[in-house]
Amino acid sequence: MPTQAKAAVIDEITERFQNSSAAVLTEYRGLTVAQLTQLRRSLGAGSSYAVVKNTLTKRAADEVGFSDLAPLLNGPTAIAFIEGDPVEAAKAIRDFARANPLLVVKGGVVDGRTVDASEVTRLADVEPREVLLAKLAGAMKGNLTKAAGLFQAPLSQVARLAAALQEKKPADDAAPAAGDETPAADTAAADTTPAAEATDDTAAADTAASDD
């Protein structure tokens, strides 16, 4: 690959790292194009799943301070770049891996911190926002001991609860008084960023892409 083309790829991967709330590195050896497309779609709007060259990805990771990813960049590698909720994306990857054992989660980056495969799995086990809010409401109606127990949950779950409360508070504050008529705001549908796909039914190009 010409030097100029390599520089463009490094810049693209660097930008994806910078603009993503999370990035999960996987090994996809043996998966078909149809399966990879299914995984990409399950990640949600704004996210992508791209096959990458290890050598170029290492250079991009170095540029954004993720040098710890280097040991994970071996063999055929594809990265899920997440622009939405990392928890929901982690659940989608976990569920896909259960149905398709050929997908192997290596680790990644979450909120600017490198994590291993086990931490990605723990992230997937965090309860949904609605469940956390319901638990908090129940704890507050109960006693202090029960409420304190909730906040002794894993850090990732507590952080998700805090984020849920932060989202809920402005919505409550902005609720109109009885009798007021406030037109609903229009919402724009999010675009989905297409993922880079392998060019044959078995993703046989994985070895060449990884070892360049």
Side-chain angles (χ1 to χ4, degrees):
M1 181 184 294
T3 302
Q4 186 174 359
K6 289 183 178 181
V9 172
I10 293 171
D11 289 343
E12 180 182 355
I13 298 174
T14 299
E15 184 176 356
R16 289 191 181 189
F17 273 126
Q18 292 172 330
N19 294 336
S20 300
S21 58
V24 180
L25 279 65
T26 66
E27 180 177 324
Y28 64 94
R29 191 195 307 269
L31 293 174
T32 66
V33 170
Q35 289 171 318
L36 295 178
T37 300
Q38 177 188 351
L39 173 57
R40 177 184 60 78
R41 289 174 178 170
S42 72
L43 297 175
S47 298
S48 64
Y49 186 74
V51 175
V52 297
K53 292 182 178 294
N54 289 330
T55 53
L56 302 184
T57 303
K58 286 178 183 178
R59 291 174 60 181
D62 287 341
E63 289 189 11
V64 291
F66 299 146
S67 300
D68 291 346
L69 294 179
L72 306 180
L73 291 167
N74 291 295
T77 304
I79 303 180
F81 290 101
I82 313 303
E83 294 192 10
D85 185 350
V87 173
E88 295 305 317
K91 291 180 188 296
I93 293 171
R94 177 200 60 192
D95 293 345
F96 182 89
R98 286 176 176 173
N100 302 274
L102 290 176
L103 183 78
V104 178
V105 175
K106 299 181 178 184
V109 178
V110 178
D111 291 332
R113 182 174 64 89
T114 55
V115 298
D116 59 19
S118 64
E119 289 182 271
V120 175
T121 300
R122 286 198 294 272
L123 184 65
D125 291 335
V126 173
E127 293 177 310
R129 171 180 179 274
E130 294 75 12
V131 173
L132 291 173
L133 287 173
K135 283 188 174 183
L136 178 63
M140 293 307 180
K141 289 180 181 179
N143 54 54
L144 292 177
T145 301
K146 184 177 179 181
L150 177 62
F151 286 100
Q152 289 176 358
L155 181 60
S156 58
Q157 185 153 318
V158 175
R160 183 167 171 79
L161 174 57
L165 289 173
Q166 186 65 26
E167 292 174 8
K168 184 174 185 296
K169 185 175 184 300
D172 291 344
D173 293 343
D180 289 347
E181 295 184 359
T182 304
D186 292 334
T187 57
D191 293 333
T192 301
T193 304
E197 296 181 351
T199 57
D200 57 65
D201 288 342
T202 61
D206 50 6
T207 302
S210 303
D211 297 332
D212 186 7

